[in-house]
Amino acid sequence: MHRIRSIGLLIALTAFGAACHPTEEEFKAKQAEVDQLKAKLGESEQRAGSLEARLKEMSDNNSSLAEKLNLAGAEKGTLERALEELRAREKQSQARLAVFTEMLNKFRAMIDSGKLRVRVVRGRMVVELAENILFDSGRADLKKEGQEALAQVAAVLASIENRDFQVAGHTDNIPIKSARFPSNWELSTNRAVVVTKWLTDKGLAANRVSAAGYAETQPVAPNDTPEGRQQNRRIEIVLMPNLDELPDLSSLAGK
């Protein structure tokens, strides 16, 4: 706007010069005024250029800020989802801990009497009964003492809601070969099935328990001493994880 007014004034002065015959002093005064206006016009143009550069800088800054805000929003969403997952896992951990504590308290009398022990193996609660309580060496027929112990175990397991169990048979590394048990695989599996059937006979729902034999493949002690081999000859009852405690593999379904 200043530039337009200045140009208009220059035109007017030119017209004035053409229409009149000013004295030398008047001409010099007008020329000084013109020079002053030219100087102001140059300053205005310089300020305008500076303002345009500043405006461009601000526009660039706004674009950068918007990009950073979008990135921050995405990061916030990621952090919120991670926090939700962490809270869910914490809730599951607390629920598992409550079940573990409940089972431990209910088995306390049997633990104190030496009939069984409770361990946590790879995040799972394991109730372990020694072979000498349940079976004679090389056999899979429950002893009277074993039957009584398993009746107590069945009552506790049946009282734990919404949980499944696996009965696992284990042996030492000394091979067995008989008409009934050609190897430790058959012996460990048969013992697990016998215990499973007894538990279901005593009130544990059949759809909540399974049987498996591991032979000598998962020792808990070295097999080079009698004491170690005795520890390895055992029946374990494993508290199985619920589906919501397992990792979500649904994304792999289409691969």
Side-chain angles (χ1 to χ4, degrees):
M1 183 63 72
H2 290 295
R3 184 177 182 179
I4 293 173
R5 285 200 297 267
S6 299
I7 292 172
L9 181 57
L10 287 173
I11 294 172
L13 288 172
T14 303
F16 172 80
C20 305
H21 298 283
T23 65
E24 184 177 354
E25 291 180 356
E26 289 175 338
F27 182 80
K28 289 181 178 180
K30 294 299 181 183
Q31 185 63 47
E33 187 176 352
V34 169
D35 292 341
Q36 186 180 10
L37 289 175
K38 285 181 178 180
K40 290 183 178 180
L41 178 60
E43 292 175 0
S44 296
E45 289 177 345
Q46 186 176 3
R47 284 198 299 271
S50 177
L51 288 173
E52 288 179 359
R54 181 58 179 161
L55 180 61
K56 185 178 184 305
E57 181 182 357
M58 292 178 64
S59 177
D60 292 342
N61 288 340
N62 286 340
S63 298
S64 177
L65 180 60
E67 183 177 351
K68 289 180 180 178
L69 288 174
N70 290 334
L71 182 60
E75 291 178 348
K76 179 183 178 183
T78 301
L79 290 174
E80 287 177 346
R81 287 192 298 271
L83 182 59
E84 290 176 2
E85 293 175 359
L86 183 61
R87 287 172 175 167
R89 287 196 297 270
E90 177 64 21
K91 185 177 180 180
Q92 292 172 355
S93 297
Q94 292 296 331
R96 284 198 303 272
L97 182 60
V99 174
F100 289 177
T101 303
E102 180 184 3
M103 284 186 62
L104 194 62
N105 291 335
K106 290 183 177 181
F107 279 128
R108 178 58 58 191
M110 297 185 72
I111 294 172
D112 293 342
S113 66
K115 292 181 180 179
L116 58 78
R117 66 172 182 162
V118 177
R119 298 183 297 125
V120 176
V121 181
R122 295 187 292 274
R124 298 181 181 183
M125 190 172 189
V126 175
V127 178
E128 180 184 308
L129 296 97
E131 175 206 46
N132 58 2
I133 293 177
L134 301 175
F135 305 103
D136 288 324
S137 179
R139 300 179 63 88
D141 304 307
L142 278 173
K143 297 163 59 174
K144 182 176 176 55
E145 181 183 7
Q147 294 176 4
E148 294 173 352
L150 287 176
Q152 298 178 56
V153 170
V156 173
L157 298 184
S159 69
I160 305 298
E161 298 181 354
N162 303 317
R163 286 287 173 171
D164 293 341
F165 307 92
Q166 183 186 75
V167 178
H170 300 270
T171 69
D172 59 26
N173 67 340
I174 297 179
I176 184 175
K177 189 171 184 180
S178 65
R180 186 176 180 185
F181 307 118
S183 72
N184 283 331
W185 287 107
E186 286 82 6
L187 176 61
S188 63
T189 302
N190 197 278
R191 284 178 169 178
V193 171
V194 168
V195 170
T196 299
K197 287 183 176 180
W198 187 262
L199 292 174
T200 57
D201 289 343
K202 296 304 176 182
L204 181 62
N207 64 346
R208 296 180 57 196
V209 61
S210 60
Y214 292 92
E216 68 272 14
T217 62
Q218 296 185 5
V220 293
N223 276 302
D224 53 5
T225 65
E227 293 76 18
R229 289 192 293 272
Q230 182 177 354
Q231 291 182 53
N232 291 330
R233 297 191 298 268
R234 67 199 190 277
I235 287 290
E236 292 181 345
I237 302 174
V238 183
L239 180 68
M240 302 301 289
N242 287 338
L243 290 178
D244 60 357
E245 297 170 354
L246 297 174
D248 184 7
L249 302 179
S250 58
S251 60
L252 302 178
K255 294 185 179 180

PDB file of all heavy atoms in Angstrom, residues 221-255:
ATOM      1  N   ALA A 221      16.788 -84.611  38.945  1.00  0.00           N
ATOM      2  CA  ALA A 221      18.029 -84.827  39.690  1.00  0.00           C
ATOM      3  C   ALA A 221      18.940 -85.719  38.849  1.00  0.00           C
ATOM      4  O   ALA A 221      18.471 -86.438  37.954  1.00  0.00           O
ATOM      5  CB  ALA A 221      17.742 -85.468  41.045  1.00  0.00           C
ATOM      6  N   PRO A 222      20.259 -85.717  39.104  1.00  0.00           N
ATOM      7  CA  PRO A 222      21.164 -86.608  38.371  1.00  0.00           C
ATOM      8  C   PRO A 222      20.807 -88.076  38.624  1.00  0.00           C
ATOM      9  O   PRO A 222      20.406 -88.447  39.733  1.00  0.00           O
ATOM     10  CB  PRO A 222      22.540 -86.257  38.941  1.00  0.00           C
ATOM     11  CG  PRO A 222      22.385 -84.888  39.502  1.00  0.00           C
ATOM     12  CD  PRO A 222      20.985 -84.805  40.013  1.00  0.00           C
ATOM     13  N   ASN A 223      20.971 -88.900  37.608  1.00  0.00           N
ATOM     14  CA  ASN A 223      20.647 -90.319  37.723  1.00  0.00           C
ATOM     15  C   ASN A 223      21.837 -91.165  38.166  1.00  0.00           C
ATOM     16  O   ASN A 223      21.781 -92.395  38.117  1.00  0.00           O
ATOM     17  CB  ASN A 223      20.132 -90.844  36.378  1.00  0.00           C
ATOM     18  CG  ASN A 223      18.646 -90.570  36.191  1.00  0.00           C
ATOM     19  OD1 ASN A 223      17.806 -90.988  36.977  1.00  0.00           O
ATOM     20  ND2 ASN A 223      18.324 -89.832  35.130  1.00  0.00           N
ATOM     21  N   ASP A 224      22.911 -90.522  38.618  1.00  0.00           N
ATOM     22  CA  ASP A 224      24.107 -91.279  38.970  1.00  0.00           C
ATOM     23  C   ASP A 224      24.167 -91.674  40.440  1.00  0.00           C
ATOM     24  O   ASP A 224      25.175 -92.209  40.904  1.00  0.00           O
ATOM     25  CB  ASP A 224      25.366 -90.488  38.592  1.00  0.00           C
ATOM     26  CG  ASP A 224      25.355 -89.080  39.161  1.00  0.00           C
ATOM     27  OD1 ASP A 224      24.423 -88.747  39.920  1.00  0.00           O
ATOM     28  OD2 ASP A 224      26.284 -88.307  38.861  1.00  0.00           O
ATOM     29  N   THR A 225      23.089 -91.403  41.188  1.00  0.00           N
ATOM     30  CA  THR A 225      23.020 -91.850  42.587  1.00  0.00           C
ATOM     31  C   THR A 225      21.647 -92.452  42.844  1.00  0.00           C
ATOM     32  O   THR A 225      20.659 -92.094  42.167  1.00  0.00           O
ATOM     33  CB  THR A 225      23.232 -90.684  43.570  1.00  0.00           C
ATOM     34  OG1 THR A 225      22.140 -89.743  43.436  1.00  0.00           O
ATOM     35  CG2 THR A 225      24.552 -89.971  43.301  1.00  0.00           C
ATOM     36  N   PRO A 226      21.532 -93.360  43.821  1.00  0.00           N
ATOM     37  CA  PRO A 226      20.213 -93.926  44.158  1.00  0.00           C
ATOM     38  C   PRO A 226      19.211 -92.854  44.566  1.00  0.00           C
ATOM     39  O   PRO A 226      18.026 -92.934  44.214  1.00  0.00           O
ATOM     40  CB  PRO A 226      20.524 -94.886  45.314  1.00  0.00           C
ATOM     41  CG  PRO A 226      21.964 -95.235  45.135  1.00  0.00           C
ATOM     42  CD  PRO A 226      22.615 -93.997  44.587  1.00  0.00           C
ATOM     43  N   GLU A 227      19.694 -91.846  45.294  1.00  0.00           N
ATOM     44  CA  GLU A 227      18.794 -90.774  45.738  1.00  0.00           C
ATOM     45  C   GLU A 227      18.266 -89.976  44.543  1.00  0.00           C
ATOM     46  O   GLU A 227      17.074 -89.622  44.502  1.00  0.00           O
ATOM     47  CB  GLU A 227      19.527 -89.840  46.708  1.00  0.00           C
ATOM     48  CG  GLU A 227      19.917 -90.459  48.041  1.00  0.00           C
ATOM     49  CD  GLU A 227      21.126 -91.381  47.936  1.00  0.00           C
ATOM     50  OE1 GLU A 227      21.861 -91.273  46.919  1.00  0.00           O
ATOM     51  OE2 GLU A 227      21.343 -92.184  48.860  1.00  0.00           O
ATOM     52  N   GLY A 228      19.150 -89.694  43.587  1.00  0.00           N
ATOM     53  CA  GLY A 228      18.720 -88.960  42.405  1.00  0.00           C
ATOM     54  C   GLY A 228      17.723 -89.745  41.579  1.00  0.00           C
ATOM     55  O   GLY A 228      16.722 -89.194  41.101  1.00  0.00           O
ATOM     56  N   ARG A 229      17.969 -91.027  41.395  1.00  0.00           N
ATOM     57  CA  ARG A 229      17.039 -91.859  40.612  1.00  0.00           C
ATOM     58  C   ARG A 229      15.687 -91.954  41.303  1.00  0.00           C
ATOM     59  O   ARG A 229      14.649 -91.955  40.635  1.00  0.00           O
ATOM     60  CB  ARG A 229      17.644 -93.248  40.398  1.00  0.00           C
ATOM     61  CG  ARG A 229      18.824 -93.252  39.430  1.00  0.00           C
ATOM     62  CD  ARG A 229      19.201 -94.660  39.018  1.00  0.00           C
ATOM     63  NE  ARG A 229      19.741 -95.430  40.141  1.00  0.00           N
ATOM     64  CZ  ARG A 229      21.019 -95.453  40.484  1.00  0.00           C
ATOM     65  NH1 ARG A 229      21.909 -94.737  39.807  1.00  0.00           N
ATOM     66  NH2 ARG A 229      21.433 -96.203  41.506  1.00  0.00           N
ATOM     67  N   GLN A 230      15.693 -91.987  42.626  1.00  0.00           N
ATOM     68  CA  GLN A 230      14.422 -92.047  43.360  1.00  0.00           C
ATOM     69  C   GLN A 230      13.609 -90.765  43.138  1.00  0.00           C
ATOM     70  O   GLN A 230      12.391 -90.816  42.982  1.00  0.00           O
ATOM     71  CB  GLN A 230      14.682 -92.252  44.854  1.00  0.00           C
ATOM     72  CG  GLN A 230      13.384 -92.360  45.669  1.00  0.00           C
ATOM     73  CD  GLN A 230      13.651 -92.637  47.138  1.00  0.00           C
ATOM     74  OE1 GLN A 230      14.787 -92.866  47.548  1.00  0.00           O
ATOM     75  NE2 GLN A 230      12.603 -92.608  47.946  1.00  0.00           N
ATOM     76  N   GLN A 231      14.281 -89.624  43.123  1.00  0.00           N
ATOM     77  CA  GLN A 231      13.569 -88.360  42.872  1.00  0.00           C
ATOM     78  C   GLN A 231      12.975 -88.330  41.462  1.00  0.00           C
ATOM     79  O   GLN A 231      11.899 -87.751  41.245  1.00  0.00           O
ATOM     80  CB  GLN A 231      14.521 -87.179  43.047  1.00  0.00           C
ATOM     81  CG  GLN A 231      14.973 -86.932  44.474  1.00  0.00           C
ATOM     82  CD  GLN A 231      15.878 -85.715  44.564  1.00  0.00           C
ATOM     83  OE1 GLN A 231      15.528 -84.626  44.100  1.00  0.00           O
ATOM     84  NE2 GLN A 231      17.049 -85.893  45.166  1.00  0.00           N
ATOM     85  N   ASN A 232      13.658 -88.937  40.512  1.00  0.00           N
ATOM     86  CA  ASN A 232      13.186 -88.908  39.125  1.00  0.00           C
ATOM     87  C   ASN A 232      11.997 -89.838  38.894  1.00  0.00           C
ATOM     88  O   ASN A 232      11.233 -89.636  37.947  1.00  0.00           O
ATOM     89  CB  ASN A 232      14.327 -89.272  38.176  1.00  0.00           C
ATOM     90  CG  ASN A 232      15.397 -88.194  38.140  1.00  0.00           C
ATOM     91  OD1 ASN A 232      15.101 -87.018  38.337  1.00  0.00           O
ATOM     92  ND2 ASN A 232      16.640 -88.591  37.907  1.00  0.00           N
ATOM     93  N   ARG A 233      11.829 -90.852  39.736  1.00  0.00           N
ATOM     94  CA  ARG A 233      10.673 -91.752  39.616  1.00  0.00           C
ATOM     95  C   ARG A 233       9.497 -91.097  40.337  1.00  0.00           C
ATOM     96  O   ARG A 233       9.394 -91.143  41.558  1.00  0.00           O
ATOM     97  CB  ARG A 233      10.997 -93.117  40.228  1.00  0.00           C
ATOM     98  CG  ARG A 233      12.138 -93.850  39.525  1.00  0.00           C
ATOM     99  CD  ARG A 233      12.240 -95.290  39.995  1.00  0.00           C
ATOM    100  NE  ARG A 233      12.526 -95.414  41.425  1.00  0.00           N
ATOM    101  CZ  ARG A 233      13.749 -95.504  41.948  1.00  0.00           C
ATOM    102  NH1 ARG A 233      14.816 -95.474  41.156  1.00  0.00           N
ATOM    103  NH2 ARG A 233      13.904 -95.622  43.259  1.00  0.00           N
ATOM    104  N   ARG A 234       8.622 -90.473  39.589  1.00  0.00           N
ATOM    105  CA  ARG A 234       7.590 -89.643  40.208  1.00  0.00           C
ATOM    106  C   ARG A 234       6.370 -89.505  39.299  1.00  0.00           C
ATOM    107  O   ARG A 234       6.433 -89.779  38.106  1.00  0.00           O
ATOM    108  CB  ARG A 234       8.152 -88.244  40.504  1.00  0.00           C
ATOM    109  CG  ARG A 234       8.462 -87.456  39.252  1.00  0.00           C
ATOM    110  CD  ARG A 234       9.415 -86.311  39.502  1.00  0.00           C
ATOM    111  NE  ARG A 234       9.527 -85.426  38.328  1.00  0.00           N
ATOM    112  CZ  ARG A 234      10.326 -85.661  37.286  1.00  0.00           C
ATOM    113  NH1 ARG A 234      11.068 -86.751  37.234  1.00  0.00           N
ATOM    114  NH2 ARG A 234      10.361 -84.801  36.280  1.00  0.00           N
ATOM    115  N   ILE A 235       5.272 -89.038  39.907  1.00  0.00           N
ATOM    116  CA  ILE A 235       4.070 -88.620  39.175  1.00  0.00           C
ATOM    117  C   ILE A 235       3.879 -87.130  39.433  1.00  0.00           C
ATOM    118  O   ILE A 235       3.905 -86.679  40.588  1.00  0.00           O
ATOM    119  CB  ILE A 235       2.823 -89.401  39.647  1.00  0.00           C
ATOM    120  CG1 ILE A 235       2.860 -90.840  39.143  1.00  0.00           C
ATOM    121  CG2 ILE A 235       1.546 -88.713  39.143  1.00  0.00           C
ATOM    122  CD1 ILE A 235       2.655 -91.004  37.649  1.00  0.00           C
ATOM    123  N   GLU A 236       3.720 -86.374  38.376  1.00  0.00           N
ATOM    124  CA  GLU A 236       3.447 -84.947  38.499  1.00  0.00           C
ATOM    125  C   GLU A 236       2.035 -84.638  38.020  1.00  0.00           C
ATOM    126  O   GLU A 236       1.584 -85.184  37.019  1.00  0.00           O
ATOM    127  CB  GLU A 236       4.443 -84.133  37.665  1.00  0.00           C
ATOM    128  CG  GLU A 236       5.866 -84.185  38.184  1.00  0.00           C
ATOM    129  CD  GLU A 236       6.818 -83.347  37.349  1.00  0.00           C
ATOM    130  OE1 GLU A 236       6.434 -82.966  36.232  1.00  0.00           O
ATOM    131  OE2 GLU A 236       7.928 -83.088  37.815  1.00  0.00           O
ATOM    132  N   ILE A 237       1.355 -83.765  38.747  1.00  0.00           N
ATOM    133  CA  ILE A 237       0.046 -83.256  38.317  1.00  0.00           C
ATOM    134  C   ILE A 237       0.244 -81.771  38.033  1.00  0.00           C
ATOM    135  O   ILE A 237       0.513 -80.976  38.940  1.00  0.00           O
ATOM    136  CB  ILE A 237      -1.027 -83.485  39.392  1.00  0.00           C
ATOM    137  CG1 ILE A 237      -1.132 -84.985  39.703  1.00  0.00           C
ATOM    138  CG2 ILE A 237      -2.369 -82.934  38.924  1.00  0.00           C
ATOM    139  CD1 ILE A 237      -2.069 -85.308  40.846  1.00  0.00           C
ATOM    140  N   VAL A 238       0.129 -81.414  36.768  1.00  0.00           N
ATOM    141  CA  VAL A 238       0.471 -80.057  36.312  1.00  0.00           C
ATOM    142  C   VAL A 238      -0.796 -79.227  36.144  1.00  0.00           C
ATOM    143  O   VAL A 238      -1.760 -79.667  35.497  1.00  0.00           O
ATOM    144  CB  VAL A 238       1.240 -80.111  34.976  1.00  0.00           C
ATOM    145  CG1 VAL A 238       1.667 -78.714  34.547  1.00  0.00           C
ATOM    146  CG2 VAL A 238       2.451 -81.041  35.091  1.00  0.00           C
ATOM    147  N   LEU A 239      -0.793 -78.051  36.729  1.00  0.00           N
ATOM    148  CA  LEU A 239      -1.890 -77.098  36.536  1.00  0.00           C
ATOM    149  C   LEU A 239      -1.716 -76.451  35.170  1.00  0.00           C
ATOM    150  O   LEU A 239      -0.752 -75.722  34.938  1.00  0.00           O
ATOM    151  CB  LEU A 239      -1.870 -76.043  37.641  1.00  0.00           C
ATOM    152  CG  LEU A 239      -2.952 -74.967  37.596  1.00  0.00           C
ATOM    153  CD1 LEU A 239      -4.313 -75.572  37.868  1.00  0.00           C
ATOM    154  CD2 LEU A 239      -2.654 -73.864  38.614  1.00  0.00           C
ATOM    155  N   MET A 240      -2.632 -76.711  34.244  1.00  0.00           N
ATOM    156  CA  MET A 240      -2.489 -76.235  32.873  1.00  0.00           C
ATOM    157  C   MET A 240      -2.964 -74.786  32.744  1.00  0.00           C
ATOM    158  O   MET A 240      -3.904 -74.364  33.437  1.00  0.00           O
ATOM    159  CB  MET A 240      -3.289 -77.124  31.919  1.00  0.00           C
ATOM    160  CG  MET A 240      -2.880 -78.593  31.967  1.00  0.00           C
ATOM    161  SD  MET A 240      -1.143 -78.834  31.552  1.00  0.00           S
ATOM    162  CE  MET A 240      -1.180 -78.475  29.793  1.00  0.00           C
ATOM    163  N   PRO A 241      -2.353 -73.999  31.839  1.00  0.00           N
ATOM    164  CA  PRO A 241      -2.789 -72.608  31.643  1.00  0.00           C
ATOM    165  C   PRO A 241      -4.122 -72.547  30.918  1.00  0.00           C
ATOM    166  O   PRO A 241      -4.450 -73.426  30.113  1.00  0.00           O
ATOM    167  CB  PRO A 241      -1.672 -72.006  30.790  1.00  0.00           C
ATOM    168  CG  PRO A 241      -1.092 -73.176  30.057  1.00  0.00           C
ATOM    169  CD  PRO A 241      -1.201 -74.343  30.997  1.00  0.00           C
ATOM    170  N   ASN A 242      -4.897 -71.519  31.215  1.00  0.00           N
ATOM    171  CA  ASN A 242      -6.129 -71.281  30.470  1.00  0.00           C
ATOM    172  C   ASN A 242      -5.802 -70.660  29.122  1.00  0.00           C
ATOM    173  O   ASN A 242      -4.708 -70.140  28.904  1.00  0.00           O
ATOM    174  CB  ASN A 242      -7.060 -70.353  31.255  1.00  0.00           C
ATOM    175  CG  ASN A 242      -7.696 -71.063  32.438  1.00  0.00           C
ATOM    176  OD1 ASN A 242      -7.795 -72.289  32.464  1.00  0.00           O
ATOM    177  ND2 ASN A 242      -8.106 -70.301  33.441  1.00  0.00           N
ATOM    178  N   LEU A 243      -6.773 -70.688  28.204  1.00  0.00           N
ATOM    179  CA  LEU A 243      -6.542 -70.151  26.864  1.00  0.00           C
ATOM    180  C   LEU A 243      -6.184 -68.675  26.886  1.00  0.00           C
ATOM    181  O   LEU A 243      -5.362 -68.213  26.089  1.00  0.00           O
ATOM    182  CB  LEU A 243      -7.791 -70.374  25.991  1.00  0.00           C
ATOM    183  CG  LEU A 243      -8.086 -71.831  25.603  1.00  0.00           C
ATOM    184  CD1 LEU A 243      -9.364 -71.907  24.779  1.00  0.00           C
ATOM    185  CD2 LEU A 243      -6.920 -72.425  24.812  1.00  0.00           C
ATOM    186  N   ASP A 244      -6.791 -67.906  27.801  1.00  0.00           N
ATOM    187  CA  ASP A 244      -6.509 -66.468  27.828  1.00  0.00           C
ATOM    188  C   ASP A 244      -5.125 -66.152  28.401  1.00  0.00           C
ATOM    189  O   ASP A 244      -4.680 -65.004  28.373  1.00  0.00           O
ATOM    190  CB  ASP A 244      -7.586 -65.712  28.610  1.00  0.00           C
ATOM    191  CG  ASP A 244      -7.695 -66.185  30.056  1.00  0.00           C
ATOM    192  OD1 ASP A 244      -6.975 -67.138  30.427  1.00  0.00           O
ATOM    193  OD2 ASP A 244      -8.505 -65.609  30.801  1.00  0.00           O
ATOM    194  N   GLU A 245      -4.429 -67.164  28.917  1.00  0.00           N
ATOM    195  CA  GLU A 245      -3.088 -66.969  29.426  1.00  0.00           C
ATOM    196  C   GLU A 245      -2.025 -67.311  28.394  1.00  0.00           C
ATOM    197  O   GLU A 245      -0.839 -67.067  28.607  1.00  0.00           O
ATOM    198  CB  GLU A 245      -2.867 -67.837  30.673  1.00  0.00           C
ATOM    199  CG  GLU A 245      -3.771 -67.460  31.834  1.00  0.00           C
ATOM    200  CD  GLU A 245      -3.718 -68.461  32.971  1.00  0.00           C
ATOM    201  OE1 GLU A 245      -3.054 -69.508  32.815  1.00  0.00           O
ATOM    202  OE2 GLU A 245      -4.341 -68.196  34.007  1.00  0.00           O
ATOM    203  N   LEU A 246      -2.453 -67.868  27.278  1.00  0.00           N
ATOM    204  CA  LEU A 246      -1.525 -68.241  26.214  1.00  0.00           C
ATOM    205  C   LEU A 246      -1.344 -67.073  25.251  1.00  0.00           C
ATOM    206  O   LEU A 246      -2.230 -66.222  25.126  1.00  0.00           O
ATOM    207  CB  LEU A 246      -2.052 -69.469  25.461  1.00  0.00           C
ATOM    208  CG  LEU A 246      -2.187 -70.749  26.290  1.00  0.00           C
ATOM    209  CD1 LEU A 246      -2.862 -71.844  25.471  1.00  0.00           C
ATOM    210  CD2 LEU A 246      -0.829 -71.226  26.780  1.00  0.00           C
ATOM    211  N   PRO A 247      -0.221 -66.989  24.540  1.00  0.00           N
ATOM    212  CA  PRO A 247      -0.019 -65.897  23.571  1.00  0.00           C
ATOM    213  C   PRO A 247      -1.025 -65.975  22.430  1.00  0.00           C
ATOM    214  O   PRO A 247      -1.440 -67.065  22.017  1.00  0.00           O
ATOM    215  CB  PRO A 247       1.412 -66.139  23.069  1.00  0.00           C
ATOM    216  CG  PRO A 247       1.705 -67.569  23.375  1.00  0.00           C
ATOM    217  CD  PRO A 247       0.937 -67.896  24.620  1.00  0.00           C
ATOM    218  N   ASP A 248      -1.437 -64.811  21.928  1.00  0.00           N
ATOM    219  CA  ASP A 248      -2.393 -64.730  20.822  1.00  0.00           C
ATOM    220  C   ASP A 248      -1.671 -65.008  19.507  1.00  0.00           C
ATOM    221  O   ASP A 248      -0.852 -64.212  19.064  1.00  0.00           O
ATOM    222  CB  ASP A 248      -3.043 -63.341  20.803  1.00  0.00           C
ATOM    223  CG  ASP A 248      -4.122 -63.225  19.736  1.00  0.00           C
ATOM    224  OD1 ASP A 248      -4.449 -64.260  19.108  1.00  0.00           O
ATOM    225  OD2 ASP A 248      -4.627 -62.102  19.524  1.00  0.00           O
ATOM    226  N   LEU A 249      -1.984 -66.140  18.881  1.00  0.00           N
ATOM    227  CA  LEU A 249      -1.352 -66.522  17.622  1.00  0.00           C
ATOM    228  C   LEU A 249      -2.315 -66.405  16.454  1.00  0.00           C
ATOM    229  O   LEU A 249      -2.066 -66.966  15.374  1.00  0.00           O
ATOM    230  CB  LEU A 249      -0.832 -67.972  17.722  1.00  0.00           C
ATOM    231  CG  LEU A 249       0.163 -68.252  18.851  1.00  0.00           C
ATOM    232  CD1 LEU A 249       0.571 -69.715  18.846  1.00  0.00           C
ATOM    233  CD2 LEU A 249       1.390 -67.363  18.737  1.00  0.00           C
ATOM    234  N   SER A 250      -3.418 -65.672  16.637  1.00  0.00           N
ATOM    235  CA  SER A 250      -4.426 -65.584  15.582  1.00  0.00           C
ATOM    236  C   SER A 250      -3.874 -64.960  14.299  1.00  0.00           C
ATOM    237  O   SER A 250      -4.340 -65.239  13.205  1.00  0.00           O
ATOM    238  CB  SER A 250      -5.638 -64.772  16.087  1.00  0.00           C
ATOM    239  OG  SER A 250      -5.229 -63.472  16.487  1.00  0.00           O
ATOM    240  N   SER A 251      -2.849 -64.089  14.454  1.00  0.00           N
ATOM    241  CA  SER A 251      -2.292 -63.428  13.270  1.00  0.00           C
ATOM    242  C   SER A 251      -1.576 -64.408  12.354  1.00  0.00           C
ATOM    243  O   SER A 251      -1.321 -64.107  11.194  1.00  0.00           O
ATOM    244  CB  SER A 251      -1.326 -62.324  13.687  1.00  0.00           C
ATOM    245  OG  SER A 251      -0.247 -62.877  14.446  1.00  0.00           O
ATOM    246  N   LEU A 252      -1.256 -65.593  12.858  1.00  0.00           N
ATOM    247  CA  LEU A 252      -0.540 -66.596  12.064  1.00  0.00           C
ATOM    248  C   LEU A 252      -1.494 -67.523  11.317  1.00  0.00           C
ATOM    249  O   LEU A 252      -1.048 -68.355  10.525  1.00  0.00           O
ATOM    250  CB  LEU A 252       0.374 -67.446  12.961  1.00  0.00           C
ATOM    251  CG  LEU A 252       1.430 -66.688  13.761  1.00  0.00           C
ATOM    252  CD1 LEU A 252       2.213 -67.662  14.628  1.00  0.00           C
ATOM    253  CD2 LEU A 252       2.365 -65.928  12.844  1.00  0.00           C
ATOM    254  N   ALA A 253      -2.791 -67.383  11.544  1.00  0.00           N
ATOM    255  CA  ALA A 253      -3.763 -68.332  11.000  1.00  0.00           C
ATOM    256  C   ALA A 253      -3.745 -68.363   9.469  1.00  0.00           C
ATOM    257  O   ALA A 253      -3.911 -69.399   8.860  1.00  0.00           O
ATOM    258  CB  ALA A 253      -5.165 -67.987  11.496  1.00  0.00           C
ATOM    259  N   GLY A 254      -3.523 -67.198   8.835  1.00  0.00           N
ATOM    260  CA  GLY A 254      -3.567 -67.147   7.373  1.00  0.00           C
ATOM    261  C   GLY A 254      -2.236 -67.376   6.713  1.00  0.00           C
ATOM    262  O   GLY A 254      -2.129 -67.279   5.485  1.00  0.00           O
ATOM    263  N   LYS A 255      -1.192 -67.688   7.500  1.00  0.00           N
ATOM    264  CA  LYS A 255       0.142 -67.835   6.907  1.00  0.00           C
ATOM    265  C   LYS A 255       0.429 -69.294   6.608  1.00  0.00           C
ATOM    266  O   LYS A 255      -0.092 -70.180   7.246  1.00  0.00           O
ATOM    267  CB  LYS A 255       1.201 -67.273   7.869  1.00  0.00           C
ATOM    268  CG  LYS A 255       1.064 -65.762   8.057  1.00  0.00           C
ATOM    269  CD  LYS A 255       2.187 -65.220   8.904  1.00  0.00           C
ATOM    270  CE  LYS A 255       2.086 -63.716   9.071  1.00  0.00           C
ATOM    271  NZ  LYS A 255       3.168 -63.147   9.882  1.00  0.00           N
TER     272      LYS A 255
END
